[in-house]
Amino acid sequence: MSAMSGADPKRDHFQRRNRQFSIGATLVILAIGAIMAVTLVAMLLQGSVMRVQAITRVALIWSPALFYLWALWTLRGLFQTLARGGPSFQPAVTRALAKVGWALTLGSVASLVMGPIQMMVLQHRMTGWFASFNVPALTLGVVGLALIVLAHMFRRAARVEAVLDGFI
């Protein structure tokens, strides 16, 4: 162990945990990608991949997932940044929080909009928007907005930190 790594056990632990979180996020992304790939291969083998209805179904179902994958990819990068540098208000952290916030918010909106559209297009029924009340999507949307606000607060904290560092 180097002299630097033993200097701050809490920092070392923080960095190690973020490396683990990065690996976890990578595994989740790979699992989702594998499920999508298997689905496309199954559709191809069934000969349904080129049917308009099949393409429409996949596009409607996966559209929110693309935003959530963007959030996961951004979190993976955030964990890698924190694993290298430790806790800080560095710009990469605040940008990542804002991106995750936007990804969750947009994914939530896509989920809330696509639910009724899926029912209408795929099941040929028209139901009111209230019939597909999606609590998880609403929750993710609010969490996304909170992350956008936190990113803004962290940017301000970083500016204050920089000013204070100038005095020292």
Side-chain angles (χ1 to χ4, degrees), residues 91-135:
V93 172
T94 57
R95 276 193 307 271
L97 286 177
K99 283 181 185 179
V100 170
W102 280 111
L104 292 179
T105 301
L106 294 172
S108 166
V109 169
S111 292
L112 293 168
V113 169
M114 292 302 157
I117 290 174
Q118 286 175 24
M119 292 175 97
M120 184 178 70
V121 170
L122 302 178
Q123 298 173 0
H124 305 293
R125 298 187 263 173
M126 184 63 167
T127 58
W129 62 269
F130 55 89
S132 61
F133 186 67
N134 189 336
V135 175

Side-chain angles (χ1 to χ4, degrees), residues 19-63:
R19 277 190 292 280
Q20 293 167 348
F21 292 156
S22 173
I23 292 167
T26 301
L27 293 174
V28 170
I29 292 166
L30 290 173
I32 293 169
I35 291 168
M36 291 175 141
V38 167
T39 301
L40 287 175
V41 168
M43 288 176 65
L44 185 62
L45 292 175
Q46 291 175 349
S48 63
V49 78
M50 296 316 253
R51 290 190 202 139
V52 173
Q53 184 178 12
I55 294 169
T56 303
R57 176 176 292 165
V58 169
L60 287 172
I61 292 170
W62 286 356
S63 60

